[in-house]
């Protein structure tokens, strides 16, 4: 994604983590959502997990409990 969109920077550690385990991307996205939620700075977020939407939804639902 960073190669296709010049204004996006993807941390090397995240790229390496996803190369080792695809679930690392879901985890990273969910951590960001949780941090945004906790900050109270925004009323919500918009995610586009494409084929991974079930994993993202399950992970975020676990956190809300």
């Amino acid at each position: 994604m960073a190669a296709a969109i010049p204004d996006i920077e993807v941390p090397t550690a995240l790229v390496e983590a996803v190369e080792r385990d695809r679930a690392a991307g879901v985890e990273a996205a969910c951590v960001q959502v949780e941090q945004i939620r906790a900050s109270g700075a925004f009323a919500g977020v918009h995610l586009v997990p494409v084929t991974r939407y079930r994993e993202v939804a399950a992970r975020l639902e676990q956190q809300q409990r």
Side-chain angles (χ1 to χ4, degrees):
M1 180 170 30
I5 305 172
D7 292 337
I8 292 180
E9 290 185 33
V10 180
T12 302
L14 178 57
V15 172
E16 291 170 351
V18 171
E19 286 174 349
R20 288 188 305 274
D21 178 9
R22 286 188 56 192
V26 170
E27 180 63 20
C30 291
V31 166
Q32 287 183 341
V33 169
E34 291 162 357
Q35 290 172 344
I36 290 169
R37 182 185 294 153
S39 76
F42 299 94
V45 299
H46 179 84
L47 299 175
V48 185
V50 189
T51 60
R52 315 285 306 269
Y53 67 93
R54 286 186 178 98
E55 292 172 64
V56 172
R59 168 64 176 70
L60 291 172
E61 286 174 1
Q62 286 176 350
Q63 184 62 27
Q64 285 183 336
R65 295 180 190 153

